[in-house]
Amino acid sequence: MCGVKIRICWLHHVLFLLMFVLCLLPCAHCVDEDDYSQTGNPALLPVITEMIYNRLSNLSRIFSDAILETSAFCVKDVKSDWDRAFNFKGKLDFISNCIKKTKGDITHRLCTAAEIKFYFISHFQKGATDANYLKPNKNCNLTSWPSGCEPGWGCLNNQNEKVVIENSKDMPARTRDCQPCCEGFFCPQGLTCMIPCPLGSYCPAAKLNKTTGVCEPYGYQIPPGQPNHGCGSADTWSDVGSASEIFCPPGSYCPSTTVKIPCSSGHYCMMGSTSQKSCFKLTTCKPNTANQNLHAYGVILIASLTTLLLIIVNCSDQALSTRERKAAKSREAAARHARETAQARERWKSAKDGAKKRGFGLQEQFSRTFSRQAKPRSEDNLLPPMPSSASNQSSAAVKTKKKESSSLTKMMQALEDDPHSNEGFNLEIGDKNVKKQMPKGKQLHTHSQIFKYAYGQLEKEKAMQQEQKNLTFSGVISMATDNDIKTKPVIEVAFKDLTLTLKGKKKHLLRCVTGKLMPGRVSAIMGPSGAGKTTFLSALAGKVTGCTMKGVILINGKNESIHSYKKITGFVPQDDIVHGNLTVEENLRFSARCRLSADMPKADKVLVIERVIESLGLQAVRDSLVGTVEKRGISGGQRKRVNVGLEMVMEPSLLILDEPTSGLDSASSLLLLKALRREALEGVNISMVIHQPSYALFKMFDDLILLAKGGLTVYHGPVKKVEEYFAGLGIIVPERVTPPDHFIDILEGIVKPNSNVTHEQLPIRWMLHNGYPVPPDMLHYADTLGTASTDSNTDDIEDTSGAAIEQSFAGDLWEDMKSNVELQKDHIQHIFLKSKDLSNRRTPGVTRQLRYFLGRIGKQRLREARLHAVDYVILLLAGACLGTLTKVDDETFGTTGYTFTVIAVSLLCKIAALRSFSLDKLHYWRESASGISSLAYFLSRDTLDHFNTIVKPLVYLSMFYFFNNPRSTFTDNYVVLVCLVYCVTGIAYVLAIYLAPSPAQLWSVLIPVVLTLVATQEQQSVFVKFLGNLCYPKWAMEAFIIANAERYSGVWLLTRCHSLLSNSYNIGHWNLSLQLLILTGILSRFVAYFLLVTFQKK
């Protein structure tokens, strides 16, 4: 019985549990929106609220394709933007309240997908200028206008029509039971349904102002004649410029669409905020603050940047000066060491010679000569202690008939072994034990060792010059028996019947010039003005363009281009083209580094530089700036010598100088010519144009080429025989008159010769004297001399008696055009001329020269720090002014401020970038003509300008950003500005290289202003719109606006779309805009480099 009872009881509990579950099943599976309207059960309210919210959230999936089709230009990620606008999770109170208010029929009052699409598409259609305008539809038209069509009201659908919110095709009929819109929703005029207000909006129920009849806080009025109609809720959601009523007001934040909370102290709330943000330190944020005041940060940045600029301006030059003083001390110590070593060497030699003559021991003679007891601090103390085997070595040295010559390599090793000792001179007498004890393979690496080596060699060379004072070049070559002595390759230039005729004008610049320039000789080219002296030198150097050349120029007896020997040919221009913001030594060092052989050790290069400084008498000013027009430096004569030294340091085999003594006094000219004569002793072929030399200077030349007007030769031969030759013609030089001045006065026609020969006949006399053929049109001068040229062919005489046929204007114009075309063609061919390198010298490559250029330009920029500081100060002021005057406008996302930013930054950075190439054109032309890499020159300046590309946007934004306070991040604005500065810098390069400085500055101002106006035109034709898309300001503006617009979401979504649509911007083009700016900068640099190479003057 008990078991039966237990089973019965268990069965009873199971049946009860089943009945309970069956009772719950309808509630779990059959609840819908209508259940609340039928039962009014409060327990169902949260479930229904969540269900309705989920159905609204699913609309993003339905609208995805339509949004991307119509609004892809302002919506990058549909789901993300939808969530930021309609993600009400945790804030669903307004839906629950609406369910209560509508008694559960909220789903019949909500707009379907088709109605929502109808509303939003109307905002992007052309002609829809009114935010409240909607096209007539099924419910609101001329024949049907229920109360729900009024703003802020909505209606139910018809009873026999089922409403599906997800339906995106059909609009249901809604004309019954019209009521005011719920809080948190807006009901547009012309639609009879409700749409949720987006996040960042404030949509309370409106209240009627009986005085004005306006439903506040909205701007609509109740229908006239319907006093019982009442106010509803919000009536529209549009861009802030058209309707800003539903935007959460500035100074408050709206965590939901029905709650508004004032901003507390220490926080700020921008318009449309959903939460309050904490203010930065040092900012003032009172209650109800709309934006934080960042002016304190701007002031701090101004002070810090100004301090930094002052430090850079005052310390940059000081740092270079300190470094130069340190190097000068090392150099002076090395020079003192070399002099002391040379003096000790002389004492050593005198002691050895005395031992030979007197016959007593060498050790005793040493002790007498170098006694330290009488003068402990005298120069005798410079002799180091002698080794124990010195007597044996000295006796061997006495027996040796021929002293072993010193080696540069051994001298370097000895000095390195003990840089502070004076044992270097022991090598001079053949101390083999010292040589054997020196370390092998060790290189000179410190400045002190290098300078000691260089000055030691200079002292040795001075001693050799005293011993071989009167030695000729051939004698020097014959004595070059030491293997370590490097001989320069010689260049002999011969020219025969050299004639230059100006293209298009048939004017002779040179005629029938024949002669030879020999290595190891200094030749002077003289003549009156218009004699073609500079043209003659330019023709020999291969620099003449626009002329037709006849005759031949032979290099070392071969018909080869002089450009094949460009690396060992030096050309000194008439103008002193020297970098004024570099010191004398820096100018010479750069030329030596780039033009001497890449295989030459650094110590030997320093030796070459020191030798040139010594020979040109520039020791006193070696660390002085050359100077510019604004900042005075060395004297004019010293500057002229530096101009010559730039070519001497590259150890040329052929050195051509165009008026190197112009502007120099006689002493400076004499010093310069002595230095050139020393170069000639080493085999250098030197020729120069010179005016009015003194008699002493004139006698220092080896050869003279005297030209008459028209480029005709009057004399070509040794200087010693020029007076003898003219005396044979009956021309005697008066007393107290230098021969060249007298001859030039005769050629000018100022002085009439005493003989029967006129100045027009002197070139004919020279031709007849040497048996050269006389040009046919000059034979009448020969006839007046009573002599005929046996080599002249009288049959070739042209009939010039008749007047030239006068051409028409069209014919003259055609000839001029042909001449100009030929000149340009000749110029381009000359620039791109490629010749085989026969100089047998491998100069540093592009990478190595780039390093040298970076060092040189870096020093120049540091010395110009004040100028760059002014650029930064102007950018600071521009950023502060524009940031203060052009506050961010939420309607346009700061378009005005960014427009002025593009113009200001473009203009200021372009003008500053012009200095990179405008000011150094002459220097570049000279350096490129000598073989220095144009690519290294261009890349070095562009590389150092990248510093400004990085720093200038930072300087400008440090003011503009904190005064303007846009919503976009500092990083986004900085990246856009970096790309903009890189772009405009490349454009400035093109202007600087192609145009003269004044037009380049004018274009730098016009281009950003005009292009920005074109790019920001509102009413654009097709052509103007196409042109605007090609302007770099359009890309910069688009990047700025996009970076700012992406920070506007929620209630700002329609404002973002309206702003981007009105400016034809696309939110997905941020990266594209930056890429176009960078691409423009790169293409501009390619064009600039092409122009740099193409339009250079060689």
Side-chain angles (χ1 to χ4, degrees), residues 1008-1067:
V1009 176
V1010 173
L1011 293 186
T1012 304
L1013 292 177
V1014 172
T1016 56
Q1017 283 291 319
E1018 294 183 0
Q1019 302 294 333
Q1020 294 182 343
S1021 62
V1022 177
F1023 175 74
V1024 174
K1025 186 176 181 180
F1026 171 77
L1027 193 62
N1029 290 332
L1030 299 179
C1031 300
Y1032 76 86
K1034 193 262 184 184
W1035 309 326
M1037 286 287 300
E1038 186 169 10
F1040 277 126
I1041 299 301
I1042 290 172
N1044 210 19
E1046 285 185 333
R1047 304 293 168 178
Y1048 288 80
S1049 59
V1051 71
W1052 294 100
L1053 185 60
L1054 290 184
T1055 305
R1056 179 211 293 177
C1057 292
H1058 177 77
S1059 179
L1060 295 179
L1061 178 64
S1062 61
N1063 292 294
S1064 301
Y1065 296 155
N1066 192 312
I1067 200 168

Side-chain angles (χ1 to χ4, degrees), residues 535-562:
T535 304
F536 171 66
L537 286 185
S538 300
L540 296 183
K543 296 178 179 291
V544 174
T545 59
C547 296
T548 302
M549 189 178 74
K550 296 180 180 179
V552 292
I553 299 177
L554 302 178
I555 309 298
N556 293 333
K558 299 179 182 179
N559 191 4
E560 295 170 340
S561 174
I562 190 64

Side-chain angles (χ1 to χ4, degrees), residues 168 258 342 378 422 450 470 533 680 700 761 817 828 928 1006 1015 1065:
S168 61
T258 57
S378 66
N422 296 320
I450 291 174
N470 299 320
K533 303 180 294 298
M700 293 181 69
Q761 296 170 341
M817 291 176 61
I828 294 175
S928 64
L1006 289 177
Y1065 296 155

Side-chain angles (χ1 to χ4, degrees), residues 37-68:
S37 62
Q38 296 173 1
T39 63
N41 186 3
L44 300 178
L45 188 60
V47 179
I48 296 173
T49 299
E50 189 70 26
M51 188 181 301
I52 293 174
Y53 171 68
N54 290 335
R55 294 182 66 180
L56 290 174
S57 300
N58 289 334
L59 292 178
S60 64
R61 177 178 52 81
I62 298 171
F63 289 145
S64 179
D65 295 337
I67 292 175
L68 291 177

Side-chain angles (χ1 to χ4, degrees), residues 420-480:
H420 300 289
S421 73
N422 296 320
E423 291 183 1
F425 65 85
N426 287 334
L427 300 176
E428 189 69 18
I429 62 169
D431 191 348
K432 297 182 180 179
N433 291 333
V434 177
K435 296 178 186 178
K436 291 179 181 179
Q437 294 172 3
M438 288 189 302
K440 297 181 180 180
K442 195 174 181 182
Q443 300 293 327
L444 295 176
H445 57 279
T446 65
H447 289 291
S448 177
Q449 291 173 336
I450 291 174
F451 282 131
K452 286 180 180 179
Y453 159 69
Y455 283 107
Q457 288 301 112
L458 287 177
E459 293 296 333
K460 177 183 173 183
E461 290 174 2
K462 288 180 182 178
M464 293 179 64
Q465 287 176 5
Q466 291 298 325
E467 295 176 2
Q468 304 161 1
K469 197 171 183 180
N470 299 320
L471 207 59
T472 62
F473 168 65
S474 58
V476 173
I477 296 298
S478 64
M479 290 186 60

Side-chain angles (χ1 to χ4, degrees), residues 532-602:
K533 303 180 294 298
T534 300
T535 304
F536 171 66
L537 286 185
S538 300
L540 296 183
K543 296 178 179 291
V544 174
T545 59
C547 296
T548 302
M549 189 178 74
K550 296 180 180 179
V552 292
I553 299 177
L554 302 178
I555 309 298
N556 293 333
K558 299 179 182 179
N559 191 4
E560 295 170 340
S561 174
I562 190 64
H563 295 288
S564 300
Y565 300 89
K566 180 170 60 175
K567 293 181 179 179
I568 55 175
T569 301
F571 185 88
V572 179
Q574 183 175 350
D575 299 323
D576 299 332
I577 304 175
V578 186
H579 290 280
N581 47 12
L582 293 177
T583 64
V584 172
E585 183 181 359
E586 288 168 352
N587 275 288
L588 299 178
R589 187 192 304 127
F590 177 81
S591 181
R593 281 180 169 183
C594 291
R595 301 176 67 183
L596 287 174
S597 176
D599 302 326
M600 179 180 287
K602 182 179 179 181

Side-chain angles (χ1 to χ4, degrees), residues 7 89 94 128 255 341 365 516 532 655 677 689 727 879 949 980 996 1011 1029 1049 1064 1082:
R7 285 194 294 271
K89 189 172 285 292
F94 74 98
T341 302
Q365 181 68 22
K516 183 182 294 185
L655 183 57
R677 285 204 61 82
V689 174
T949 303
L980 175 63
L1011 293 186
N1029 290 332
S1049 59
S1064 301
I1082 294 174

